[in-house]
Amino acid sequence: DAGVIQSPRHEVTEMGQEVTLRCKPISGHNSLFWYRQTMMRGLELLIYFNNNVPIDDSGMPEDRFSAKMPNASFSTLKIQPSEPRDSAVYFCASGGRAPNTEAFFGQGTRLTVV
Amino acid sequence: AQSVTQLGSHVSVSEGALVLLRCNYSSSVPPYLFWYVQYPNQGLQLLLKYTTGATLVKGINGFEAEFKKSETSFHLTKPSAHMSDAAEYFCAVSDPGGANNLFFGTGTRLTVIP
């Protein structure tokens, strides 16, 4: 398996623009997580899905952030409009079907909002 | 609720010396515990995990950790540090009876001095 695939790896955008981050989880996994990593706040869980259904989005910073998982093989995290403080590395991770297996992480998307 | 505390945001050791990274957890139920490693510009990679059974867990790259319920600890050790061990290490906990989401510590950056 190719692992969790995220795109793009790097994104530079201007403040106010819409940004969409993409994630393809490992085939057969039923949990998907979006994390944000910054120097100031470390690793934060934004939202996670189980069987394509959002379970907990309490980590989503504000209404500008939205996430979708239309099917088991694809998820998006959208920021609209983007702000400089959204600059961070965004990770997607997926987990298997057995209870509480580990999460497998993608390489991350480094977002810079200027 | 589950949480982990990593003592020491930065640890420096000499090459060949013992590595000890500390992690204490808080959980209302017997937890599942994980150690992840993050190399620069990479995603997080699982080092080892404890779910049930033997409390001494061996992972990749010569690392091991011991689950000590009485101390609510899951410290990570390696007998002899190698330059390639320089990275950031994250301890995480999940609730076996709940969802699959992981709660991460703030991370410990390991520096190996030649």
Side-chain angles (χ1 to χ4, degrees), chain B residues 1-53:
Chain B
Q2 282 68 39
S3 66
V4 293
T5 301
Q6 291 184 241
L7 299 176
S9 58
H10 292 85
V11 171
S12 294
V13 299
S14 298
E15 190 175 15
L18 171 71
V19 176
L20 171 61
L21 304 182
R22 299 178 186 274
C23 173
N24 288 89
Y25 69 89
S26 173
S27 177
S28 56
V29 297
Y32 288 359
L33 294 159
F34 307 80
W35 274 101
Y36 282 82
V37 60
Q38 185 179 29
Y39 299 104
N41 300 314
Q42 299 287 320
L44 278 70
Q45 177 185 359
L46 183 72
L47 271 179
L48 49 80
K49 66 178 179 180
Y50 168 80
T51 54
T52 59

Side-chain angles (χ1 to χ4, degrees), chain A residues 9 31 33 35 37 43 45 48 91 96 98-100 102-103 105-107 110, chain B residues 32 34 36 38 41-44 46 49 90 94-96 99-102 104:
Chain A
R9 287 294 310 274
S31 296
F33 311 87
Y35 288 89
Q37 186 176 38
L43 201 59
L45 176 66
Y48 76 93
F91 288 104
N100 295 285
E102 64 272 25
F105 281 75
Q107 295 293 305
R110 182 174 297 276
Chain B
Y32 288 359
F34 307 80
Y36 282 82
Q38 185 179 29
N41 300 314
Q42 299 287 320
L44 278 70
L46 183 72
K49 66 178 179 180
F90 293 90
S94 71
D95 175 5
N100 284 0
N101 54 316
L102 297 173
F104 283 90

